[in-house]
Every structure is written in structure tokens, then in C-alpha cells.
Amino acid sequence: MKIFDYAKEHPEEILAVTDDGEEILYGELNNLSIELGKTTGHRLVFVLCRNTPGSFLGYLGLLESGGVPLLLDADIAPELLHELVRTYRPAFCLVPDNLDEQTLQACFGFSEDRHVPAENETAILTIRDYRLLRSAPEGKDPVLAPELRLLLTTSGSTGSSKLVRISGENLDANTASIIDYLKITKEDRPITVLPMQYSYGMSIINTHVMAGAKILLTRYTLMEKRFWERVKEEKCTSLCGVPYTFEMYNRLGLTKMDLPDLKTITQAGGKLSEKRHMQFAQWAAEKGIRFYVMYGQTEASPRMGWLPPERAIDKCGSMGIAIPGGKIDLVDEYGNRIPEQRTIMEASPAGTKSESDHKNDAVMSPVGEIVYRGPNIAMGYAVCAGDLAKGDEFKGVLYTGDMACRDADGFYYIVGRKSRFIKIGGRRIGLDEVEKILLAAFPDLELACAGKDDDLHVYVAFSPENKEKTEELTDRICYCLEEMTGIPNRRISVIRIDEIPRKNSGKIQYSALN
């Protein structure tokens, strides 16, 4: 894979620095990949991930050697892991040394083929703080397609066995494209803000390995003082985050911190509120920091769109344009392509629109589903072990399920998910747009919208200080929606909950609300 070309050519250079200040060289990765190639070959390996040296090196070593890792959270519920093991029969599991016994046992969760190692049985291979264990008995693991190189859980599938099948070509193409538009070089020093099993966190690792950069590997969280000490001491050049991360950045006062080496900040994993987008875009512009808003899905390995930093302010709220090497179209509900619209100056009768009108007005296309085409689109899905032998089913085309419109300059604006619409009184209502309206009106509330036809549910996490104001807030929310959207009061239910359920990525877990 092209991702590892730099590593092979520069084994003496630093790949990563740990929380303890230990340096990991590219040469260690190269040597490990050779050893893993002899041990695992082109076989399925479950990797229970943490942002530690063993997990980091194990993932990269498997990818370089030709093994096929499935990246999972090391804190996965044992029963979910057990079901995945029974479904896919991995040849090996790469696990932390201190993994709890129940989760460890789940790694060997076969019924008639159950193989639980004895207490004195040694690991096949030790990788720093991780160990490689045989999972499926010899010959019982699945056949894998030759081009298959990585498996990731589908976005939002915390309990689903549905996986995304990704090839080496998919990863190489997307990694090179990201390096191109983010202008990543070997001088960059990112820090691992996000978990590596999350496609966004994984892509940060891949891109900086391909560029030959030095990665600051950490298990510290944003809320810990030591995280920010490392950022400053080790001259971190880039930070990243999903929308929830940016709320934390705001609370922590990132825009007031003295971080002279910070050059880039990236956002993906969901639509950033326009308020937060503008706040960070303006701050970045003042500081000379490149602020990138990006768009992607796991099925795209994972990036499909980006907003150039110089357009971050005037295109606030946009997910941008297609990444280098990719193409984005909008299709209507019948699958027909929505043509690109003319600019206002072209579309208006001569003399009816001034240049200032053109700058302040906008022509938007009809709303349609985003369809992306590119070499980074995954091979397809898997729901059972037999699917791992399948070839490329997507053929470079992904119907994303995201609904968007496009302006006259070709920039896209996501308005919601295809599945995140309900009908009230025959009217189509976008739940994401309702959330956006409420968050603008009630910026101090944490809320989420769900529901079904003719029944809108607004879930609100009430803090201790406003629990006594439940009835008042309910009335205000209903009044706001009726005024702003015309949704009748009787169709709105405001439901108080202790907290909004979220996935590890910080995204709202809507399936836990309905």
C-alpha cells in the first residue's frame, strides 16, 4: 500500500511520541509488519482499540502486512463482541494486556468450536501493551477477498454486525486526496483527539503516516490538563473534532489559548452549527490558522467533501465541494440528476441584479440526495462471514442518504438525512432543520428531535437549575416551533431526559430516543 512508502524509505525517522515521551520509529512499524505477515497472513483480526502504542502499531502493522483488521472499541460490551466473534469467526484478536476477563472471554465466543486459552497459554505475539491471541481454531476462520484490507463498523451501528468492506486502493486514494487538500507534510504534528477505531480518527493516522509526520499519541482527554500541556510542549500543529468536540473546545476556551504552533484545525463527523462554524472560522482567520470543514462517511474511507479555509466565512454552513479525485451530484426522489443552476447574474434579466445583489443573494438548487463517485468508495457491506469473500459491489458509487442543496458557486449545504424526515399534516418536516431552529432559539439547551408522522418529539436534557422550569420551557419550545415552522402545538411533545444519548464519536444516537 502507498500509505507505507515513506515508512519503508525512512525507517530511522520518528513515527509517534507516546504520553511517556517514548519515541516510536517508522522502522519499528516496518519490522512489526514483517513479523505480522508471517504470523497472520491475509486473515481476519479483531483489534480492540485504544490510543496506545500496541493498538496503534498493531493496526498499522496489520494494514502494511496484508492482514485484515476490524477496528473495535476496547470498551465494547462483551455481549456485542461475543456476537461479532460468532458472526465473523476472526482468526486472531489483538487485545490490551489489561482487558477485563469478560471481554477477553468474548474473543473466543464460538459455540461448538469454542477455544479459550489456558491461564498459562502465552500470546502468539506481544506488541507493546497489546497481545495477539488465536481466536478461531485453525481452518475455521473465513475466506477473505484478495483486495480486502480493512473492516469498520457502519456509522451508528453500536450493536449491529453490519460492516464496511474497504480495499487498499480505497484507503490509498482517500489518504492521498486528504493530504492534497489539507496540505499535510512531514513537518506536521497532530495529536490523537479522536479514538482510532472511529473512521475520522483512523484517517488522521493514515494521512500523517503517508506524509511521514510525527504523531502525538495520547490517551489524555480534552478535559485533562496534561493533554493541553502536551499540545504546547510538543508543538502540536493540528487539532480535529466532531461537532461535540467543538462544543468542548468552546467551553474550554480554545480561542483564548496561547498555541503558537497550531496551524490547522479540522472538523467532520456531522454538521457544525452555523454559530460555532462562524466563531471558529473568524478566530482561525484572525490567527492565520487554516480551518477546514469536511464531509464524509465510513463507506467513503471516509472523506468526500471539504470547504476550503478561504471560504469558511462567506460559505458558513456549507460542507464544501468534492475532494480531489471525487465527484458529487444531487438526485431527486426519482433518481434523476438535479442539474447545476446558473448564477444569479446569468439567470436574471439584464440590468435587474447589481453586483452587490449578487454577493448578498443566493440561488439554491432543489434539495436532493448526495451521490458521490470516486475511487475511495468501499467495496460494499458485510453482514456475515461469507460476505468477506465478496468483491467490489459499490463500483465507486455511494448514495449517501444525506439531503442537500447546492448554491450557484457549486458549494453544498446539507439539510438533513433522508431518514430524518417526518410528515405532519401532509407536510415534509426535516428533523435536523427543526433542531437547528431550536438550538438557535435556545442556545443553552441540549436537545434532540425525533418522532414519526404527525408526532414530533423534542427531547431536552434538563440541567438541575432548569428542572423547575419544565412547564415554562415546554410552552416556549412549542410556541417557537409553531411560530417558526407552523407545526401545530398539539403535534409536539417535549420530553425531559437526564442526558442526550451519544455515540463514542459524539454524534447523537437517535435510535436510543424513539
Side-chain angles (χ1 to χ4, degrees), residues 43-199:
R43 318 231 345 242
L44 178 59
V45 184
F46 279 18
V47 182
L48 304 192
C49 300
R50 289 176 180 156
N51 285 357
T52 67
S55 179
F56 173 78
L57 282 168
Y59 157 64
L60 291 172
L62 287 165
L63 202 61
E64 185 178 4
S65 71
V68 179
L70 166 61
L71 304 186
L72 299 167
D73 188 346
D75 296 321
I76 185 173
E79 57 269 26
L80 297 182
L81 177 59
H82 176 84
E83 189 57 35
L84 283 167
V85 168
R86 289 188 62 185
T87 301
Y88 289 103
R89 308 191 310 276
F92 304 93
C93 286
L94 184 63
V95 303
D97 284 339
N98 60 353
L99 192 66
D100 67 272
E101 188 63 26
Q102 191 177 3
T103 306
L104 180 62
Q105 290 298 311
C107 293
F108 311 96
F110 305 96
S111 50
E112 67 274 12
D113 298 324
R114 189 173 177 81
H115 171 69
V116 180
E119 288 185 13
N120 61 353
E121 187 173 340
T122 58
I124 296 170
L125 187 66
T126 298
I127 307 173
R128 298 292 185 107
D129 54 317
Y130 268 60
R131 50 189 170 139
L132 183 71
L133 304 174
R134 160 73 66 180
S135 183
E138 192 72 39
K140 297 292 185 179
D141 54 307
V143 174
L144 308 180
E147 62 271 39
L148 181 64
R149 297 301 290 271
L150 177 67
L151 292 166
L152 296 173
T153 57
T154 51
S155 179
S157 63
T158 51
S160 171
S161 60
K162 187 176 181 181
L163 307 178
V164 178
R165 298 181 289 114
I166 298 172
S167 71
E169 181 184 348
N170 299 151
L171 284 173
D172 278 340
N174 203 231
T175 303
S177 181
I178 295 169
I179 289 174
D180 180 2
Y181 72 75
L182 288 184
K183 299 179 173 59
I184 298 172
T185 73
K186 68 183 295 293
E187 305 305 321
D188 284 299
R189 292 178 299 280
I191 191 163
T192 54
V193 176
L194 300 169
M196 60 177 288
Q197 73 273 7
Y198 177 40
S199 60

Side-chain angles (χ1 to χ4, degrees), residues 322 326-332 336-340 368-373 398-400 402 404 406 412:
K327 185 177 188 300
I328 293 176
D329 281 316
L330 295 179
V331 300
D332 63 22
N336 300 315
R337 180 177 176 273
I338 297 173
E340 295 180 9
E369 181 181 1
I370 290 177
V371 178
Y372 174 89
R373 290 172 172 81
L398 181 66
Y399 284 76
T400 66
D402 286 320
R406 178 180 51 226
Y412 292 83

Side-chain angles (χ1 to χ4, degrees), residues 419-424 427-431 450-457:
S419 59
R420 292 270 297 148
F421 284 85
I422 61 175
K423 285 190 176 182
I424 294 180
R427 289 175 53 214
R428 201 159 178 257
I429 303 293
L431 295 172
K452 54 187 179 181
D453 286 354
D454 288 326
D455 192 6
L456 170 63
H457 295 165

Side-chain angles (χ1 to χ4, degrees), residues 260-297:
D261 299 289
L262 187 62
K263 301 291 188 292
T264 306
I265 186 162
T266 64
Q267 182 271 320
K271 186 175 179 181
L272 196 62
S273 71
E274 289 187 17
K275 175 183 176 181
R276 204 62 70 214
H277 179 142
M278 184 60 77
Q279 173 193 359
F280 281 93
Q282 290 176 335
W283 163 72
E286 290 168 5
K287 293 288 186 180
I289 294 170
R290 296 174 299 179
F291 174 57
Y292 292 88
V293 170
M294 306 186 297
Y295 165 70
Q297 290 183 5

Side-chain angles (χ1 to χ4, degrees), residues 379-416:
M379 301 164 64
Y381 296 116
V383 295
C384 66
D387 290 342
L388 302 182
K390 292 180 177 179
D392 184 2
E393 296 179 309
F394 284 175
K395 305 298 183 185
V397 181
L398 181 66
Y399 284 76
T400 66
D402 286 320
M403 306 299 288
C405 54
R406 178 180 51 226
D407 71 14
D409 295 323
F411 286 76
Y412 292 83
Y413 295 76
I414 294 175
V415 299

Side-chain angles (χ1 to χ4, degrees), residues 201-395:
M202 174 211 70
S203 73
I204 289 169
I205 291 172
N206 293 349
T207 50
H208 288 85
V209 168
M210 181 181 263
K214 180 168 70 176
I215 298 169
L216 307 179
L217 189 62
T218 186
R219 288 204 71 196
Y220 293 119
T221 69
L222 297 179
M223 304 306 293
E224 295 179 89
K225 181 181 178 182
R226 186 61 189 132
F227 176 91
W228 296 104
E229 288 175 346
R230 283 204 70 192
V231 166
K232 191 158 187 179
E233 289 169 2
E234 301 187 50
K235 302 185 179 200
C236 174
T237 60
S238 64
L239 291 172
C240 65
V242 298
Y244 186 65
T245 316
F246 277 78
E247 293 304 320
M248 295 176 69
Y249 285 151
N250 178 57
R251 292 172 196 164
L252 291 165
L254 174 61
T255 58
K256 296 179 176 63
M257 293 183 188
D258 178 25
L259 301 173
D261 299 289
L262 187 62
K263 301 291 188 292
T264 306
I265 186 162
T266 64
Q267 182 271 320
K271 186 175 179 181
L272 196 62
S273 71
E274 289 187 17
K275 175 183 176 181
R276 204 62 70 214
H277 179 142
M278 184 60 77
Q279 173 193 359
F280 281 93
Q282 290 176 335
W283 163 72
E286 290 168 5
K287 293 288 186 180
I289 294 170
R290 296 174 299 179
F291 174 57
Y292 292 88
V293 170
M294 306 186 297
Y295 165 70
Q297 290 183 5
T298 302
E299 291 87 341
S301 311
R303 203 63 56 227
M304 292 181 281
W306 71 295
L307 181 62
E310 62 272 17
R311 307 306 300 270
I313 293 176
D314 74 301
K315 297 294 183 182
C316 179
S318 172
M319 54 136 282
I321 56 178
I323 64 171
K327 185 177 188 300
I328 293 176
D329 281 316
L330 295 179
V331 300
D332 63 22
E333 58 186 314
Y334 304 106
N336 300 315
R337 180 177 176 273
I338 297 173
E340 295 180 9
Q341 63 275 27
R342 295 176 296 165
T343 66
I344 288 177
M345 294 296 284
E346 292 171 335
S348 305
T352 61
K353 283 280 184 180
S354 68
E355 184 63 25
S356 61
D357 289 334
H358 176 65
K359 289 179 179 178
N360 295 323
D361 205 348
V363 171
M364 287 292 181
S365 72
V367 171
E369 181 181 1
I370 290 177
V371 178
Y372 174 89
R373 290 172 172 81
N376 52 307
I377 294 303
M379 301 164 64
Y381 296 116
V383 295
C384 66
D387 290 342
L388 302 182
K390 292 180 177 179
D392 184 2
E393 296 179 309
F394 284 175
K395 305 298 183 185

